Structures are given as C-alpha cells and as structure tokens.
Amino acid sequence: TVTGVQTCALPILTSFSPRVAVFAERFPGTGGGIATAHDGLGKLLERNCTVEYFAFEPCCERGEARIHRTTGSRLLGTLVAELLSLKVRRHERSGRISAVRRIGRTAANIRRLVGPLRRFRPDFVILPDDQLPALALTVPANAKVIWVAHHNYQRFLEQPFLQPECAYDLFLAHRLERRAAAKCDFAV
C-alpha cells in the first residue's frame, strides 16, 4: 500500500518486458564502429528487454539463436547496386561511387530478414543510418522504429586527404536517407 491505497497495477507494469530488434552489419560487433555500438546497445537493453539481433551483411557462419543473419542475394544486391551506380554516372562522371552501392546491396539483403523480424514481433526496432536498412525494411505492425544516427554522407565532400567522392553519389545517398528516415518514429 502507498499512503493507504493498495497498488495492484504496479506489478503488471514492472513485469512488462519490451521486445527489441537491433540491426547492424554484423554481430557480435568487434573493433569499434557502428556494429560494436549496436551490439553494446543490445547488451545494455537485455537487462530489461527481450532482445534479438539482425545482421544485414551476408554471412554463412552459424550464430546464436538470438542472432539472425542474412545469407543475402549476391546477384540481386549487385544488380541494385549497379543500377544505382548507373543513375549516378548519368549525372556525374568523376569521383568514386561507394555510398549508393552499399545502400543497394543492403536493400537486397535486408529483405531476407523481414520474415524473422515478423516472427519475433518486436515492440521496438533499432536501426543504424549507415547503409540505410530502413529503406527496404518492412516494419511489423505496432512496432516503433528508432533511428540511431552515426553517419553523415555529406561529410565526405571535399575532404583533402581522401580519394575524391562523387558528389552526386553523396547527394543521392542523402536523398535516400531522407526517404528512409520518414519510416522512423524516433531519432537518436
């Protein structure tokens, strides 16, 4: 009792354990970077939540039951990446194209994780902004998407010590990023 009033709803609220899906390139994350940050975030959330991990980089190794890895479709990934590259080259001939190629490969790989994600029935889905997995992901009903910003494609423009990037590649990646961000409910 709290000040003479019996609280019966409190145990119900404290027993709620949200289901959280954490996405990254690979799990477990090693050596720093976005995958390590998301792995650490998932481990922190495991204290009070049911967490499962979804790796969107193609991998054939067998992992834990809570880690879902995509085998990916190399042909489809290459096709989508090359189509996006052709669009970039139509607008600008110089510079290195890397951003839209990675986004294209990820879009093909992420489709293989939709089934396991739907079966998990998460309350929250945590996605990185690098490679834009949100762009191709079909979010399950009633799940809230949390976008964790690590990356900024525009920062690679006019860097004096890096190989010159294609400006249209970064522009298109930024536009695709805005489209993916529209699917998200929260941003961190």
Side-chain angles (χ1 to χ4, degrees):
T1 63
V2 176
T3 63
V5 177
Q6 182 136 6
T7 56
C8 63
L10 189 59
I12 295 169
L13 291 176
T14 57
S15 67
F16 174 68
S17 177
R19 300 168 67 81
V20 180
V22 180
F23 279 76
E25 286 180 87
R26 66 186 110 20
F27 287 105
T30 55
I34 295 170
T36 302
H38 281 246
D39 192 22
L41 180 62
K43 287 190 180 11
L44 182 66
L45 290 171
E46 283 178 1
R47 294 178 186 165
N48 299 319
C49 304
T50 304
V51 178
E52 289 200 10
Y53 301 90
F54 295 82
F56 54 82
E57 231 6 76
C59 179
C60 295
E61 72 183 53
R62 189 84 177 133
E64 299 176 36
R66 295 178 315 134
I67 299 175
H68 303 276
R69 291 175 168 49
T70 184
T71 55
S73 171
R74 184 169 292 191
L75 178 63
L76 182 59
T78 303
L79 179 65
V80 173
E82 288 307 312
L83 287 173
L84 286 170
S85 296
L86 287 172
K87 178 170 177 51
V88 169
R89 284 294 178 223
R90 204 174 111 211
H91 294 280
E92 187 170 337
R93 299 260 181 231
S94 64
R96 183 172 61 114
I97 299 173
S98 60
V100 296
R101 281 192 173 127
R102 291 178 70 208
I103 291 168
R105 280 191 222 103
T106 298
N109 295 338
I110 206 81
R111 302 303 300 164
R112 297 266 177 120
L113 293 173
V114 170
L117 181 66
R118 189 176 298 129
R119 284 189 293 279
F120 177 54
R121 295 182 332 271
D123 297 307
F124 297 97
V125 178
I126 299 175
L127 296 166
D129 60 346
D130 185 34
Q131 300 184 47
L132 305 179
L135 192 63
L137 185 67
T138 304
V139 180
N142 302 322
K144 297 292 183 190
V145 178
I146 301 171
W147 172 283
V148 181
H150 302 273
H151 200 68
N152 178 358
Y153 290 106
Q154 298 296 319
R155 73 178 178 189
F156 296 108
L157 279 176
E158 300 174 15
Q159 290 292 326
F161 302 112
L162 298 176
Q163 180 182 1
E165 296 283 335
C166 178
Y168 193 81
D169 174 46
L170 298 175
F171 169 76
L172 184 57
H174 180 70
R175 286 191 62 195
L176 292 171
E177 182 179 52
R178 289 177 59 188
R179 185 175 290 173
K183 288 183 166 184
C184 301
D185 299 298
F186 307 100
V188 178

